[in-house]
Amino acid sequence: TIGQVFKLWNTSAAQSCHPDPCLERLRNAKRVFVALRDPVDRFVSAFNWRSLLLCKKHNETRSRSPVAPAHFPESRCHDLPVDDEERSVVHQKYGSNVNEFAVALCSNRSEAEEDLSKIRQARHSLSDWLSSSSSSSLWYDPDAERSKLLPLVLEPGYNFTKMIGHQIVHAVTESFNPSTAIRQQIAYTENMRQK
C-alpha cells in the first residue's frame, strides 16, 4: 500500500485518511495522493471486505474481537456495538452477498442508498474526498502554481507499485532536490528487490 511505500522511502510526513475523508487535515499538505478506482469495483471490494471483517450476529465460528482483525480475518472478526447497524445491513439484510445489494440499488434505490451510507468503506464517493467549500484553495498550491493532487489509478492494466514510486519521485523531487529523490528511489528499489 501507499503507507508501506512511504515507510520504505523513509518519508515520515505522510498522513492517511482512510476510510473517511479528512479534508481539514489536508489543508496544509504540500502534495496529496488520491487513489482513483472504478466506483463499482470500489463498492464490491468495500462490501466484501466489511462482510469478511464484521462478526455475524448468529452462527459465527471465529473469535470475536474489539480490535479490527484486518490481518487475521479467517480466525477473528470485529465485534463492537458501534458496528451493529453496518453488520445488520451486510449480514442480515443482504446475506453477505454483494449481488443482492447491487440488485437492491437498482430496484429500491433510496433504501439501498441509505444502506450504503452505513457501510464504512463504501459510504463516501470520490466527490466527498475532493470537495469542500474551499476546494480550489485546498487542492491548488498558488505559490508553486500547481495542483497538490497526485493521482494513483487502482485498475487492471496499471502497475500500482510502479505508479506509487513514480509519484513519490515526482513529489520528493519537487519538495527537496533531485539527488535526494534519486537516493530515496535507489533505497526503495533495493527494498523491493529483497521482498
Side-chain angles (χ1 to χ4, degrees):
T1 65
I2 297 171
Q4 292 166 326
V5 174
F6 274 112
K7 284 179 187 172
L8 290 171
W9 276 65
N10 269 343
T11 305
S12 60
Q15 293 184 26
S16 174
C17 295
H18 180 72
D20 298 308
C22 59
L23 299 176
E24 288 307 312
R25 266 190 21 212
L26 297 175
R27 183 162 305 286
N28 296 320
K30 293 201 181 291
R31 301 302 290 211
V32 177
F33 292 87
V34 179
L36 303 175
R37 192 170 185 191
D38 178 274
V40 174
D41 291 345
R42 193 175 68 80
F43 161 73
V44 169
S45 176
F47 183 92
N48 288 336
W49 180 242
R50 296 306 289 169
S51 178
L52 178 66
L53 292 185
L54 294 171
C55 296
K56 294 177 181 163
K57 190 170 184 175
H58 305 290
N59 301 323
E60 180 60 68
T61 58
R62 300 172 292 171
S63 300
R64 294 175 182 270
S65 171
V67 179
H71 299 294
F72 308 101
E74 67 285 343
S75 60
R76 292 190 315 206
C77 59
H78 198 241
D79 192 23
L80 285 174
V82 72
D83 298 324
D84 286 347
E85 200 171 32
E86 182 182 17
R87 177 184 356 272
S88 175
V89 166
V90 170
H91 291 308
Q92 287 145 291
K93 188 167 187 177
Y94 298 106
S96 308
N97 186 329
V98 71
N99 291 324
E100 293 295 322
F101 199 157
V103 168
L105 280 167
C106 294
S107 60
N108 190 353
R109 188 176 179 107
S110 60
E111 184 179 337
E113 283 181 353
E114 177 65 28
D115 292 340
L116 184 64
S117 72
K118 296 171 185 165
I119 298 177
R120 184 150 192 229
Q121 310 291 104
R123 66 177 160 223
H124 299 290
S125 69
L126 186 59
S127 63
D128 294 331
W129 289 85
L130 297 179
S131 61
S132 77
S133 58
S134 58
S135 61
S136 62
S137 64
L138 188 61
W139 305 124
Y140 183 76
D141 182 351
D143 297 329
E145 296 183 352
R146 62 167 162 73
S147 171
K148 295 179 182 182
L149 298 176
L150 294 170
L152 299 167
V153 180
L154 296 167
E155 283 301 311
Y158 292 90
N159 184 324
F160 184 62
T161 305
K162 191 181 280 187
M163 201 178 321
I164 292 172
H166 287 298
Q167 291 290 34
I168 291 175
V169 167
H170 178 73
V172 170
T173 301
E174 285 187 350
S175 300
F176 302 106
N177 62 52
S179 63
T180 302
I182 291 168
R183 282 196 305 275
Q184 288 182 323
Q185 185 175 27
I186 290 168
Y188 170 73
T189 304
E190 286 302 314
N191 278 322
M192 292 307 289
R193 278 192 198 133
Q194 293 173 7
K195 291 190 173 218

